[in-house]
Amino acid sequence: MARTTRKRLGDILVELGLITEQDLQGTLEGKQTDQKLGDALVQRGLITEMQLIETLEVQLGVPHVSLFRYPFDANLFNVVPKEFAKRKLLVPMKAEGDRLFIAMADPTDFITLDDLRLTTGFQIEPAIASKEDILKTIAKYYEEESYDDMLGEMPQATEQQDNPDDLDAPIVRLVNQILSNAVTLKASDVHFDPHENKVLVRYRIDGTLRTERILPKTMQQMVTARIKILANLDITENRVPQDGRIKTNVDFRAIDLRVSSLPTVFGEKIVMRILDLSNNLTDISKLGFNQLNMERFMKEIDKPNGIVLISGPTGSGKSSTLYAALNKLNSDEVNIITVEDPVEYQLEGINQIQVNNNVGLSFAAGLRSILRQDPDIVMVGEIRDKDTAEISIRASLTGHLVLSTIHTNDSIASINRLIDMGVEPFLVTASLNAIIAQRLVRRVCRDCREIQPATIREQEIFEKRGLTIDAVSRGKGCTQCNMSGYRGRMAIHEVLVVNEAIKSVINRGGTAAEIRDIAVQNNTIFLIDDGLLKVKEGMTTTEEVLRVAMND
């Protein structure tokens, strides 16, 4: 009997119109040898994981399942060990007679299917589920069960507090589990919030905080001590704020954690910022720049001297943009030195200095030393005071390109901020090349996106900015986005090039309104405009843009 030839995945995706032939060929050429085509396409953002799963369902004839609110048989979690489930990305769903139904990220992994058949004694019936769905399920069911066990062991754990190296101690396992869950859910921060009778564990996901777990008040000191030991902080000191750092591996991924402790009336509040080193975004083309903004930004960072400032509040992605710019400029021909607080990501080929105020190594002191090291490009983590600003300006006037950040609301406000610090206006105009204001907005989930007619209010907002809108994209909520309608974040930008007309206004002490008028004449795309253009493209929503950008 003639064997039917199965259609190739790439051909099916092209037929369905999800990718083009050029996308397919480019991915095939660019992917790693051992990487599967589907994973490479998802990694490049050409398709979503859900689109890949639905296509695999057609190609393989294996059904796909959503694990959100699935009625799992808890007994089966003892049949398939947690470590095996996590390593192979699978989870047992139900058993019927001699058949065991398993949700897998890769149902073509026949070796794993054979292992399961031999170890469980069941005939295995595979189904496809997304990696994220499987990891969330493992975190929810396998680890919730072990969490209850830990609470039961906690009275004995008080005797183990003095032995922080005991990796089997319940408190050690609990902290590891909280971090593992945070990485699985792609959280950027973990908060341990002490209250009068409890401790809340909260994750910041896509810029929004949500409570993940409530711990008994009795566990507060043990959890705090464990984290402080990992971060090399003084566990006997709880009256003053402390900062530390943890380098660790979570689920085989290199993770860097910035730890901050703050005394409150109910005990120390701990916040951990998660820096996932495997997700380090250093490709400037992936920052979401509008084409005109990208051209202007590239032109400014290619100049041999002057200052390029990136402005925005904490958590607006300034560091990612700086690192992407440095990565673009990094070559054997240039000497790049940075002074940062803290060094978030370590870039190969770049000399990075960590600020240490305890020994007198401030931004200003580090910057003075850098200038004796024959640099071509200098990156200052943040301009906080007059001293740092003036040394940065001096560096730019003596033939160096200086990249830095400043905490202001928009690009024009950054000019006033420098002058407020005490920098003379003629020094600002002599050194400043451009200011990039930046904010992060949540992306509409691609898996549950729906096209809806724009509301009258939205049409009015667009019309006020000289734009038109008929339809907008909104997420209705699905398992991939935790029913929020948003998944991931993107940046909106405002690139203000400081030209001769703007310099003239600054030198004669002109107003921000005058600078804005000139910026408008130069076709500057303001934050609100860049956001609304991304709404038109179906990438985000009007509500998200108005949340972070002012509508004048």
Side-chain angles (χ1 to χ4, degrees):
M1 185 176 169
R3 188 180 173 187
T4 56
T5 308
R6 183 188 291 160
K7 269 192 177 181
R8 294 184 303 180
L9 176 66
D11 295 336
I12 298 173
L13 289 167
V14 172
E15 277 179 27
L16 292 170
L18 295 173
I19 60 171
T20 64
E21 190 64 44
Q22 288 85 351
D23 290 334
L24 176 60
Q25 293 308 319
T27 306
L28 286 169
E29 289 166 17
K31 78 179 185 72
Q32 296 168 4
T33 313
D34 58 345
Q35 190 179 28
K36 295 194 172 182
L37 174 62
D39 292 338
L41 288 165
V42 171
Q43 189 180 343
R44 287 183 167 212
L46 295 170
I47 58 172
T48 67
E49 195 174 358
M50 192 51 66
Q51 287 170 334
L52 172 63
I53 287 170
E54 287 167 356
T55 311
L56 285 172
E57 184 179 24
V58 172
Q59 186 201 25
L60 304 174
V62 176
H64 93 263
V65 290
S66 168
L67 303 180
F68 185 69
R69 291 181 182 161
Y70 189 89
F72 288 98
D73 180 352
N75 295 323
L76 294 177
F77 297 128
N78 298 320
V79 175
V80 179
K82 173 186 158 187
E83 287 70 25
F84 184 82
K86 212 163 193 176
R87 192 170 69 251
K88 299 295 186 180
L89 289 173
L90 55 87
V91 68
M93 298 189 298
K94 63 179 178 179
E96 287 181 359
D98 65 343
R99 294 186 302 163
L100 177 63
F101 290 81
I102 297 277
M104 305 177 70
D106 180 11
T108 62
D109 186 351
F110 300 114
I111 296 171
T112 299
L113 290 170
D114 283 344
D115 284 349
L116 280 169
R117 188 168 50 76
L118 291 169
T119 55
T120 64
F122 285 98
Q123 291 298 317
I124 306 300
E125 295 283 347
I128 316 174
S130 70
K131 290 179 187 174
E132 201 165 314
D133 225 1
I134 289 169
L135 287 170
K136 283 178 186 173
T137 302
I138 291 170
K140 184 175 179 182
Y141 291 97
Y142 276 99
E143 300 190 345
E144 279 299 330
E145 193 178 334
S146 58
Y147 169 64
D148 293 336
D149 295 341
M150 285 179 220
L151 284 179
E153 295 174 43
M154 218 41 89
Q156 292 82 36
T158 51
E159 300 162 20
Q160 298 168 324
Q161 281 182 76
D162 296 327
N163 185 9
D165 297 324
D166 182 1
L167 298 179
D168 290 325
I171 202 69
V172 172
R173 302 201 319 266
L174 175 67
V175 171
N176 290 348
Q177 183 188 307
I178 288 170
L179 287 180
S180 175
N181 287 357
V183 172
T184 299
L185 295 170
K186 295 184 170 62
S188 60
D189 301 84
V190 181
H191 291 236
F192 292 85
D193 282 346
H195 290 245
E196 190 173 3
N197 302 312
K198 61 190 175 187
V199 179
L200 298 185
V201 180
R202 301 200 290 167
Y203 293 164
R204 187 178 292 281
I205 300 171
D206 290 342
T208 307
L209 271 173
R210 74 172 202 219
T211 300
E212 192 64 26
R213 176 168 291 171
I214 299 173
L215 301 179
K217 187 70 174 175
T218 52
M219 292 171 62
Q220 180 179 333
Q221 285 188 326
M222 289 183 278
V223 170
T224 302
R226 173 60 187 163
I227 294 168
K228 289 171 91 171
I229 287 166
L230 287 171
N232 289 322
L233 301 180
D234 184 353
I235 62 169
T236 62
E237 180 57 80
N238 56 16
R239 298 162 301 172
V240 295
Q242 296 185 69
D243 292 299
R245 194 162 196 156
I246 302 171
K247 278 198 169 187
T248 185
N249 282 305
V250 176
D251 299 334
F252 315 108
R253 289 157 71 179
I255 300 292
D256 215 344
L257 300 162
R258 277 164 41 192
V259 180
S260 169
S261 76
L262 183 73
T264 72
V265 289
F266 295 123
E268 285 181 277
K269 174 179 167 68
I270 304 275
V271 175
M272 296 194 282
R273 164 67 57 88
I274 299 174
L275 304 170
D276 189 343
L277 303 181
S278 63
N279 283 346
N280 186 6
L281 180 65
T282 51
D283 186 347
I284 210 161
S285 64
K286 293 180 181 174
L287 293 176
F289 273 104
N290 170 290
Q291 189 178 348
L292 177 62
N293 282 343
M294 174 66 109
E295 287 169 9
R296 289 180 172 177
F297 182 58
M298 295 301 293
K299 185 179 175 184
E300 295 306 320
I301 65 171
D302 280 338
K303 288 183 177 176
N305 54 43
I307 297 178
V308 175
L309 286 179
I310 300 175
S311 78
T314 305
S316 59
K318 299 188 299 295
S319 297
S320 295
T321 303
L322 272 182
Y323 283 122
L326 288 178
N327 204 46
K328 179 80 173 66
L329 297 167
N330 192 9
S331 70
D332 288 340
E333 290 79 40
V334 293
N335 177 22
I336 302 176
I337 308 181
T338 76
V339 53
E340 306 169 59
D341 183 22
V343 174
E344 290 192 8
Y345 294 109
Q346 289 163 5
L347 300 177
E348 196 172 338
I350 292 176
N351 308 286
Q352 295 171 274
I353 300 169
Q354 168 74 55
V355 165
N356 186 349
N357 289 313
N358 294 332
V359 295
L361 180 55
S362 62
F363 275 120
L367 198 45
R368 284 193 190 94
S369 304
I370 283 175
L371 297 179
R372 294 192 285 273
Q373 290 280 322
D374 184 32
D376 297 293
I377 298 166
V378 175
M379 192 268 264
V380 184
E382 185 187 341
I383 292 180
R384 294 178 180 171
D385 50 47
K386 181 183 177 183
D387 209 8
T388 310
E390 287 190 336
I391 301 165
S392 300
I393 287 168
R394 200 175 307 141
S396 73
L397 294 175
T398 51
H400 305 95
L401 177 66
V402 179
L403 305 176
S404 189
T405 69
I406 191 165
H407 282 247
T408 54
N409 285 329
D410 59 27
S411 55
I412 296 170
S414 303
I415 296 169
N416 293 333
R417 176 83 183 101
L418 288 171
I419 294 169
D420 286 345
M421 282 181 188
V423 180
E424 293 291 343
F426 73 89
L427 286 174
V428 173
T429 56
S431 58
L432 200 55
N433 289 353
I435 305 163
I436 293 88
Q438 179 170 317
R439 295 288 189 282
L440 291 179
V441 293
R442 291 183 292 174
R443 285 179 179 271
V444 173
C445 175
R446 287 169 63 184
D447 289 315
C448 62
R449 180 167 59 188
E450 290 183 332
I451 306 298
Q452 299 177 1
T455 64
I456 294 170
R457 172 70 179 140
E458 283 176 318
Q459 290 174 352
E460 287 172 356
I461 292 165
F462 274 75
E463 196 176 317
K464 192 176 176 183
R465 305 301 304 182
L467 300 165
T468 58
I469 186 82
D470 296 318
V472 294
S473 292
R474 280 194 175 81
K476 64 179 180 181
C478 67
T479 57
Q480 297 300 301
C481 61
N482 286 316
M483 310 309 288
S484 68
Y486 296 100
R487 190 167 184 223
R489 290 191 291 175
M490 63 188 297
I492 58 173
H493 302 93
E494 172 179 304
V495 178
L496 178 72
V497 177
V498 183
N499 61 11
E500 291 305 321
I502 291 176
K503 288 178 181 178
S504 174
V505 172
I506 297 169
N507 282 331
R508 63 176 169 79
T511 63
E514 290 177 81
I515 296 173
R516 178 173 280 273
D517 289 341
I518 297 168
V520 170
Q521 291 166 22
N522 292 341
N523 297 321
T524 300
I525 299 171
F526 294 102
L527 278 172
I528 181 82
D529 300 321
D530 192 33
L532 294 179
L533 288 170
K534 287 182 166 73
V535 173
K536 280 195 74 144
E537 293 172 29
M539 300 162 84
T540 187
T541 62
T542 317
E543 294 87 351
E544 273 297 292
V545 174
L546 294 179
R547 184 175 62 83
V548 298
M550 289 184 290
N551 186 20
D552 308 318

